[in-house]
Amino acid sequence: MKRSGWLIGLALIVFITAVGSAQMTTWFQWTYLPQKLMDEIIGESSGETAFNHVVVMGANSRDRKAEEYAGTLMESQYVLDQLKSYGVKDAEIARFPGGETWDGVRGELWEVEPIHQKLASYTDLRAMLAEGSNNADVTAELIWVGEGRSSDLEGKELAGKIVVTTGQATMVHNIACQQKDAAGVISIASPRGGTDPFSIPFGGIRTFSDKPVKFAFNLPPREGALLQSRLARGQKIKVHAVVESGRQKYDLQDPTCSIPGTEPGSEEIILSAHLFEGYVMQGANDNYSGCAAILEAARTLHTLVESGRLPRPRRTIRFLWAPEFSGTIPWVSAHPELMKRTLCNINLDMVGLQLSKSLSFLVALRTTYGNPHYVNDVLEHYYRYVSESNRNYIANRYSQVDARRMVAPTGTEEPLYYYIATHFGSSDHEVFNDWGVGVPAVMMNNWPDLWYHSSGDRPDKLDPTQLKRAVIIAAATAYTIAAADDGIASQIAGEIVSNASGRLGHQLGRGIEEVKRADQNQLPGVYRRTRGYIQAAALNERNTLDSVIELSSDKARMGKHLSTLKAALNSLEEGSLKALEGQMRMATALAGTKPVDVDQTPEEKKASGIVPRPTPKIREKGYRGYRAAIDEAAKTSGKQGAVSNAGQAAAEIQLLCNGKNSALDMKKMLDTQFTRPTELDSIVQYLEILKVAGLVDY
């Protein structure tokens, strides 16, 4: 009996083990590159080195001296020196005309009555003195004005007093100082006061008035709360404020270098990061982290290629550090021929946070439908690889042999929390994405960042491990595209279709939900619009597949392969549309109404015949060089309203003019990407302006 029970127990264990093994799922621990080459990139990339770059450049917020503005800015020189020490031969600083910037010299705020104590000092924290503050030497009484709105100031005598507010310094200054003659502002505003009582938001005084600017100090939430409490109790507090500031001339400085490809005059991939965002705010994560990451990516790839551990890629990989927008725009404009050869841009803006500390993710921000490109899927590929190689699945807990540990010696062992997001601008990749430049560009970014644009953005918030992972992802993505042959190109194309199934599924799920929420009167319009979501997403996937052809040597063979993959995409689209139709028919059956008619309206038929083709004039003057032609065309045709009606969709309408998308396609693609539907007539009218301007033809 005991022996029989033992055998039964053993059989159960074997059965359960077999079932458990059968439930194991393969995770995505593969890459486009051979594992040996991927291991070289993983091993050589150093999160410690990247972190040390951040510490050198941004351990604290420095006061720049006049001599620095007159010569080479510290960060520019540091990047150049590091590149030269690595043996990068073409490292240089490109310079462009700059302008003048506000320069804080001194800012002291002392309480003089009823006690003597220092409240704020520019020397202690640069963010304590609002950028734009003018010279002052004032002794004045404090007065509490709440949020500092006009209604808060009514009935208060502010002349000659310094107002204390929870409002933003610039807003309160423009009302209290310029309209009611207050002497200055003390702001205790902090959108992060609940999470960091020491952090002060960086901000400046901006005014459109002819009256001279006065001054503003910012206090951290903890100290601000104490001051607010004293004023609320009716204490009379008098302070002495001293401000010294000036203006400094500067030039725009763009360190740059490259890893040359094997093919002369080859295509290029550009890695970028903004080195400056103004010259007062100096953020560790925003954006010394991005600069440090591409500096380490440059060292890693240069070292591996020069030592023969990585084959030299066919295409050139270029690196660009620049003042945000203001330095990237002239550099791009100065290299129109290079832009024609550039396949894509990968921009790193805030990539080093310890993610759990900021409740953050490493986000990949895709291109819009107007710039469909395989770089989106290559970047996503390495996000997934790095993340899944550094996590432990309960189903796979006995099989970690394929995992690749990507952890810095002094970094955390946290997972890589990430997500793939739709497009968002507000950084240098938008310069490349511009219609006049035409380089598809994506961005790597941490969000949320609890210390964004604040005095708390210091290296203690960063994690060498996450910096290492950002370096690996950026370096591997750039190298994969630079080295891609027909084999890698076909892999990329296949993965686009694989990922497309999820993206189409998302639009199907979105459509089903919107149909479910629609009432009987709304349903026809909602159903037609949600069909457009699926059609637009599928069209974008087909356009993305078309972009892969540029990586191929045998265009004819690759074209046939892409046609096969497009047929698979068409089947996915058809299946999704049928599923959505089923949801619509169920909704109408339950409501006792007829199914929705999806025949095109006369307006839609007309719009489907408008297929604008871009003209060479678009890129003749580079970044936004086409804007003058649009404004002139709108003026001469008397249709300025067509430009304003297009609104925020205008830039995307421009990009969607590829000689294949109709005006009706554009509406579907805009409605899929934007939260509010775009009127078809607005699109058609805007296209007419572009045609008059000579920018498109149809």
Side-chain angles (χ1 to χ4, degrees), residues 26-32 38 362 364 366 376-391 393 404 406 415-420 444 469 472-473 477 491-492 494-503:
T26 304
W27 63 96
F28 294 95
Q29 291 187 6
W30 67 78
T31 76
Y32 297 123
M38 193 67 218
L362 184 64
R366 294 170 53 86
N376 294 293
D377 291 274
V378 179
L379 185 65
E380 179 175 347
H381 174 96
Y382 286 107
Y383 265 69
R384 184 172 58 226
Y385 172 76
V386 171
S387 178
E388 300 212 7
S389 294
N390 288 272
R391 66 173 76 162
Y393 292 91
R404 292 299 189 274
M406 303 176 207
L416 174 60
Y417 305 108
Y418 80 94
Y419 67 88
I420 310 301
M444 297 173 61
R469 293 168 180 174
I472 292 168
I473 291 169
T477 300
Q491 285 182 269
I492 292 171
E495 193 156 316
I496 289 169
V497 177
S498 172
N499 293 338
S501 63
R503 292 188 285 260

Side-chain angles (χ1 to χ4, degrees), residues 169-375:
T170 187
M171 178 196 75
V172 180
H173 169 275
N174 291 341
I175 302 174
C177 295
Q178 300 207 315
Q179 296 180 21
K180 294 181 176 291
D181 204 27
V185 176
I186 298 174
S187 173
I188 61 174
S190 178
R192 304 166 191 88
T195 56
D196 187 346
F198 310 108
S199 189
I200 304 170
F202 270 101
I205 301 175
R206 304 288 184 268
T207 181
F208 298 101
S209 170
D210 294 333
K211 294 182 179 180
V213 170
K214 295 187 179 179
F215 65 86
F217 284 91
N218 298 303
L219 296 186
R222 184 181 67 178
E223 304 308 309
L226 294 174
L227 186 61
Q228 177 184 358
S229 176
R230 292 174 63 194
L231 291 170
R233 294 197 304 269
Q235 279 195 20
K236 298 294 184 181
I237 302 174
K238 187 175 289 187
V239 300
H240 180 209
V242 177
V243 175
E244 293 181 33
S245 66
R247 307 286 298 177
Q248 295 291 343
K249 293 182 179 180
Y250 66 91
D251 60 1
L252 297 167
Q253 301 171 15
D254 295 7
T256 183
C257 73
S258 71
I259 297 173
T262 58
E263 299 176 357
S266 63
E267 298 158 323
E268 299 204 3
I269 297 89
I270 297 177
L271 285 166
S272 64
H274 72 78
L275 192 53
F276 306 99
E277 189 170 348
Y279 296 102
V280 176
M281 187 179 73
Q282 302 156 28
N285 195 45
D286 186 13
N287 184 39
Y288 290 143
S289 68
C291 294
I294 69 167
L295 182 56
E296 175 57 10
R299 185 201 65 80
T300 295
L301 292 175
H302 174 79
T303 299
L304 293 174
V305 169
E306 292 300 317
S307 65
R309 291 151 62 193
L310 279 184
R312 185 171 294 278
R314 296 170 56 193
R315 304 169 183 89
T316 294
I317 303 173
R318 188 170 297 277
F319 302 83
L320 174 67
W321 298 260
E324 190 172 32
F325 284 102
S326 63
T328 305
I329 292 168
W331 188 88
V332 165
S333 299
H335 298 88
E337 293 304 314
L338 174 57
M339 292 303 101
K340 293 177 183 177
R341 302 197 311 272
T342 300
L343 300 183
C344 58
N345 162 248
I346 304 162
N347 184 49
L348 279 68
D349 190 344
M350 304 160 52
V351 296
L353 283 178
Q354 182 180 338
L355 299 177
S356 65
K357 188 180 288 188
S358 189
L359 308 177
S360 186
F361 297 84
L362 184 64
V363 186
L365 293 141
R366 294 170 53 86
T367 61
T368 67
Y369 286 3
N371 266 329
H373 201 264
Y374 55 81
V375 67

Side-chain angles (χ1 to χ4, degrees), residues 447-676:
W447 199 259
D449 181 347
L450 298 181
W451 298 278
Y452 173 71
H453 284 193
S454 79
S455 61
D457 186 5
R458 302 268 59 86
D460 63 305
K461 312 305 188 306
L462 271 53
D463 179 3
T465 288
Q466 301 301 357
L467 279 167
K468 177 182 177 73
R469 293 168 180 174
V471 172
I472 292 168
I473 291 169
T477 300
Y479 182 80
T480 295
I481 296 172
D485 55 14
D486 285 39
I488 290 178
S490 67
Q491 285 182 269
I492 292 171
E495 193 156 316
I496 289 169
V497 177
S498 172
N499 293 338
S501 63
R503 292 188 285 260
L504 281 168
H506 171 76
Q507 297 303 337
L508 170 60
R510 177 187 176 192
I512 288 172
E513 179 63 20
E514 291 190 23
V515 166
K516 182 193 78 175
R517 294 182 184 184
D519 62 30
Q520 184 175 337
N521 294 326
Q522 296 169 330
L523 184 58
V526 168
Y527 176 60
R528 293 169 68 90
R529 184 173 68 248
T530 55
R531 275 176 53 86
Y533 296 165
I534 295 169
Q535 293 167 332
L539 181 55
N540 180 64
E541 301 297 346
R542 287 190 287 270
N543 290 339
T544 302
L545 279 175
D546 285 339
S547 71
V548 177
I549 199 78
E550 68 186 14
L551 295 175
S552 174
S553 298
D554 190 333
K555 307 293 185 187
R557 182 175 60 186
M558 183 59 66
K560 291 179 181 178
H561 178 57
L562 295 179
S563 295
T564 301
L565 294 177
K566 285 181 184 179
L569 270 175
N570 293 342
S571 297
L572 288 171
E573 178 186 11
E574 182 181 352
S576 297
L577 289 171
K578 284 186 177 297
L580 184 63
E581 180 185 359
Q583 184 70 22
M584 176 272 294
R585 289 185 177 277
M586 177 61 74
T588 55
L590 292 172
T593 59
K594 293 182 179 180
V596 177
D597 179 12
V598 294
D599 289 343
Q600 288 185 352
T601 66
E603 292 78 13
E604 289 174 335
K605 288 179 180 178
K606 180 180 178 182
S608 66
I610 300 173
V611 183
R613 299 177 298 275
T615 70
K617 186 176 180 179
I618 294 167
R619 298 186 186 177
E620 284 179 357
K621 297 181 180 179
Y623 177 76
R624 294 194 175 181
Y626 50 83
R627 294 287 294 273
I630 294 175
D631 292 341
E632 181 62 25
K635 182 179 179 181
T636 56
S637 63
K639 295 182 177 179
Q640 291 95 330
V643 177
S644 59
N645 288 341
Q648 65 174 349
E652 182 67 359
I653 293 171
Q654 293 161 187
L655 292 172
L656 289 169
C657 295
N658 63 356
K660 296 186 291 185
N661 298 326
S662 70
L664 183 59
D665 292 331
M666 292 180 187
K667 174 173 172 52
K668 294 175 182 178
M669 298 176 98
L670 291 168
D671 289 352
T672 305
Q673 296 180 90
F674 291 92
T675 54
R676 294 181 180 178

